[in-house]
């Protein structure tokens, strides 16, 4: 049978929305997929073989002491040693909510009986891809388009992401244990476990 990959882009962060919680995050993801299927007209929910979510970590696993209050930073500023913000309490709360939602999703193996996995970009997409941070939305889009242009085939993508696995364990749950290490700043560092997904897919095709 014909297989295809369908990519849906969520406007915002489903793990940190005010109404999001571990108790409803599964339903919120499925609702988004159902709406996307309805609007897309190229697939039905019943056709889905696997659901894969990719999320930015935004430093959510760092200790609270690394969220640093600085009134000069009206917007959140990410650095290697911490998150700088004028609204420290709000960022700590956001990090806690995001951790709870992501931890719940990592513990799952399926959504509505469909195989499920969640992968991360750390600290976010542009940081994982190019080591950049704290750039505006226009530049984010520009850099993302350039990346897509430079890596148009699956083997190029696999080699790129495998190259930035770094010291992370080369397995799904091991990579999550690594990035969530207690009292670490790893979710601010440049990491992603997308390479594990791509390597797995490449090995599946050769077996």
């Amino acid at each position: 049978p014909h297989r295809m990959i369908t990519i849906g882009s969520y406007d915002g962060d489903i793990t940190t929305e005010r109404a999001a919680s571990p108790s409803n995050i599964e339903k919120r993801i499925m609702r988004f997929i159902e709406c996307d299927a309805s609007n897309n007209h190229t697939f039905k929910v019943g056709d889905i073989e696997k659901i894969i979510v990719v999320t930015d970590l935004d430093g959510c696993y760092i200790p609270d002491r690394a969220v640093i209050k600085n009134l000069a930073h009206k917007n959140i500023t990410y650095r290697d040693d911490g998150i700088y913000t004028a609204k420290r309490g709000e960022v700590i709360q956001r990090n806690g909510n995001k951790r709870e939602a992501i931890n719940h999703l990592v513990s799952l193996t399926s959504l509505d009986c469909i195989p499920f996995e969640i992968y991360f970009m750390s600290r976010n997409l542009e940081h994982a891809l190019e080591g950049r941070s704290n750039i505006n939305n226009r530049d984010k889009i520009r850099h993302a388009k350039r990346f897509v242009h430079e890596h148009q085939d699956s083997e190029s993508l696999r080699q790129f992401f495998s190259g930035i696995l770094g010291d992370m364990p080369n397995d799904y749950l091991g990579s999550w244990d690594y990035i969530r290490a207690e009292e670490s700043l790893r979710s601010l560092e440049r990491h992603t476990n997308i390479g594990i997904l791509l390597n797995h897919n490449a090995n599946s095709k050769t077996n």
Side-chain angles (χ1 to χ4, degrees):
H2 176 68
R3 291 180 174 178
M4 67 177 181
I5 297 175
T6 299
I7 299 175
S9 178
Y10 191 84
D11 186 14
D13 187 341
I14 201 167
T15 64
T16 58
E17 291 176 330
R18 291 189 182 276
S21 69
S23 63
N24 65 25
I25 191 72
E26 296 176 51
K27 290 182 179 178
R28 295 174 75 84
I29 292 173
M30 287 308 302
R31 194 178 306 130
F32 167 73
I33 292 171
E34 289 162 2
C35 289
D36 196 48
S38 177
N39 295 331
N40 199 308
H41 302 300
T42 58
F43 71 98
K44 297 177 291 186
V45 173
D47 298 329
I48 299 174
E49 291 187 12
K50 189 171 188 176
I51 298 169
I52 294 171
V53 168
V54 180
T55 185
D56 290 343
L57 292 184
D58 296 324
C60 71
Y61 287 102
I62 67 174
D64 290 349
R65 60 177 170 76
V67 180
I68 301 158
K69 185 167 185 175
N70 189 318
L71 297 179
H73 294 265
K74 292 184 179 179
N75 298 317
I76 296 174
T77 300
Y78 297 96
R79 293 181 179 169
D80 292 342
D81 63 341
I83 299 174
Y84 290 75
T85 174
K87 300 178 179 179
R88 183 174 183 267
E90 289 185 14
V91 172
I92 289 173
Q93 182 65 47
R94 180 210 70 172
N95 283 356
N97 293 343
K98 191 175 180 76
R99 279 196 305 271
E100 288 184 1
I102 291 176
N103 287 345
H104 177 72
L105 293 174
V106 173
S107 74
L108 302 177
T109 56
S110 65
L111 280 181
D112 268 16
C113 299
I114 303 170
F116 171 83
E117 288 179 335
I118 178 170
Y119 290 84
F120 61 79
M121 297 285 189
S122 178
R123 60 195 68 145
N124 49 32
L125 176 66
E126 60 272 19
H127 191 233
L129 297 187
E130 296 190 327
R132 299 174 184 271
S133 273
N134 309 308
I135 60 177
N136 59 45
N137 287 336
R138 194 166 110 185
D139 284 340
K140 287 182 181 184
I141 294 171
R142 181 167 59 86
H143 290 301
K145 286 182 176 179
R146 184 177 69 187
F147 178 84
V148 171
H149 177 74
E150 292 175 350
H151 302 278
Q152 295 189 30
D153 63 272
S154 58
E155 181 57 23
S156 174
L157 280 172
R158 190 188 69 78
Q159 290 183 4
F160 174 84
F161 283 111
S162 295
I164 56 174
L165 277 171
D167 296 330
M168 280 199 310
N170 192 22
D171 68 276
Y172 176 69
L173 290 178
S175 68
W176 276 108
D177 289 341
Y178 176 89
I179 208 70
R180 296 183 294 178
E182 190 174 354
E183 292 295 306
S184 82
L185 299 178
R186 288 174 180 170
S187 60
L188 280 178
E189 297 170 358
R190 188 186 181 195
H191 295 292
T192 178
N193 56 356
I194 291 290
I196 295 169
L197 170 65
L198 297 178
N199 285 335
H200 175 74
N201 287 344
N203 291 337
S204 297
K205 290 178 181 178
T206 57
N207 293 334

